[in-house]
Amino acid sequence: MPLLTGRADIDVVNWTEDRRCDRAWLLQNIPGASGLVVCFQDIVDREVVDVGGPNLRVVSTISVGYEHIDLDVMAERKIQVGYTPDILTDAVADSAVMLALMATRAAGQSYTFVKNNQWPSFNWTPFAFCGPQLSTTSFSPTRTVGFLGFGRIAHAVLARLAAFGITHCIYTPRPGAPPQTARDAHLQSKHNLTEVAPVDLPTLARRSDVLFVLAPGGPATHHLIDSAFLRQMKPSSVLVNNGRGSVVDSIALAQALKEGWIWGAGLDVVDEEAIPGGVTAEHPLVCEPRCVVLPHIGSAAQETREEMARLTARNVIAGVLGEELPVALDYSRLGSQV
């Protein structure tokens, strides 16, 4: 980060290896620090803050999520938290649509088929590798997309799906959120949809042809997508998770795929990814042919990651210098991403 390392007024101690930062290294080097830059894999808890000492003024994370940061401790110690919303909205929306297409059109299965040198012996049949079609047609004129989490990224996904002829959009609002009637009417008109409407979780499960999970993590959303939810979904439906792995029960989803409760899944996040080595080739979802699993790369577009890095650097610099952060987390609006 030249924005940081090029400054003469700030001493930078940098983890230089291209892998997750060792916690022991972090605890050894944080004492006396005024600012801390982290990724979503780095847990910032009371231990880190206590070892860091009273000079710590700001934690800047190169992510839109903040579940890895103990916000109660941050508020208690009056430590500012910088993060990177908005910047990654389009990149994540792109990847969500990509995962929906990969899951519906059996891209994982067919790519593996070719990689395993099975194409030379392939006997073409009319329905080989077929899956549900994302777009509408004259002979299949309606599609309902559902959203668990209907914030910035969901709106960007909906805008992209409009080109596929999506007709209905349903979503489950954040508990306690006021009705958004005017906003929904605007989205319905803007994208030429038949419906944009809030629904309860059972209705979301029953009606969605493609369900996009874009909710934040945390206790309130833990395993909202469980066996009971998945059993209500259509056998032809697809689940896409670009939000947080903890929202979906991995074991339940693997069973749903194996037993045909749903057609397929496209995942950029998995519950067990928070555990080092938690997602291996033997993970039940990786083993499911109709499940496409990516290693949490939803924002991994070069231009997006570069801008995220720049904002992360600007946030920590401002905090270290005692200035207002360009983009600071407002503790009073927790959960507003949903």
Side-chain angles (χ1 to χ4, degrees), residues 19 40 103 226 231 332 335:
R19 61 182 179 87
F40 71 90
D226 57 9
R231 285 184 182 275
S332 68

Side-chain angles (χ1 to χ4, degrees), residues 38-302:
V38 296
C39 300
F40 71 90
Q41 295 178 317
D42 302 316
I43 304 300
V44 183
D45 55 13
R46 186 174 298 277
E47 180 186 27
V48 169
V49 173
D50 285 344
V51 173
N55 290 336
L56 189 60
R57 301 172 185 164
V58 58
V59 174
S60 182
T61 181
I62 186 169
S63 64
V64 64
Y66 43 78
E67 295 84 8
H68 53 298
I69 302 172
D70 189 328
L71 298 181
D72 290 333
V73 174
M74 299 300 111
E76 176 187 316
R77 303 292 179 86
K78 296 182 171 55
I79 297 171
Q80 295 190 84
V81 176
Y83 69 140
T84 61
D86 300 324
I87 293 172
L88 49 67
T89 296
D90 289 313
V92 175
D94 290 348
S95 71
V97 175
M98 175 186 73
L99 281 168
L101 287 168
M102 292 180 73
T104 54
R105 298 297 296 273
Q109 285 177 287
S110 53
Y111 178 72
T112 301
F113 186 85
V114 175
K115 289 286 287 183
N116 289 343
N117 198 33
Q118 293 174 278
W119 195 354
S121 59
F122 177 47
N123 293 312
W124 187 91
T125 59
F127 295 100
F129 296 117
C130 279
Q133 188 164 335
L134 181 60
S135 59
T136 55
T137 65
S138 60
F139 46 85
S140 184
T142 63
R143 291 291 183 279
T144 298
V145 293
F147 292 94
L148 181 60
F150 200 51
R152 295 177 294 262
I153 296 172
H155 292 179
V157 171
L158 181 60
R160 285 154 174 77
L161 292 176
F164 289 81
I166 298 303
T167 52
H168 297 72
C169 167
I170 56 177
Y171 66 92
T172 297
R174 176 167 48 90
Q180 298 288 334
T181 307
R183 181 204 64 186
D184 292 351
H186 170 72
L187 290 172
Q188 181 175 333
S189 174
K190 178 181 179 181
H191 299 307
N192 194 29
L193 302 174
T194 302
E195 176 190 29
V196 175
V199 296
D200 58 23
L201 279 172
T203 304
L204 186 73
R206 288 194 303 268
R207 290 188 55 193
S208 296
D209 292 311
V210 181
L211 173 62
F212 293 90
V213 179
L214 292 162
T221 60
H222 184 259
H223 288 187
L224 275 180
I225 308 297
D226 57 9
S227 292
F229 184 100
L230 291 163
R231 285 184 182 275
Q232 297 180 77
M233 294 183 71
K234 302 176 184 180
S236 60
S237 64
V238 164
L239 183 144
V240 174
N241 190 1
N242 270 81
R244 286 292 177 266
S246 61
V247 181
V248 178
D249 183 336
S250 293
I251 302 303
L253 178 57
Q255 183 181 6
L257 291 164
K258 186 179 294 294
E259 298 183 5
W261 308 350
I262 67 173
W263 173 264
L267 310 175
D268 186 49
V269 291
V270 177
D271 194 6
E272 293 75 19
E273 73 178 85
I275 306 167
V279 184
T280 67
E282 288 72 41
H283 189 283
L285 289 172
V286 177
C287 292
E288 280 302 315
R290 289 185 179 175
C291 188
V292 178
V293 182
L294 302 180
H296 204 147
I297 56 171
S299 64
Q302 186 70 29

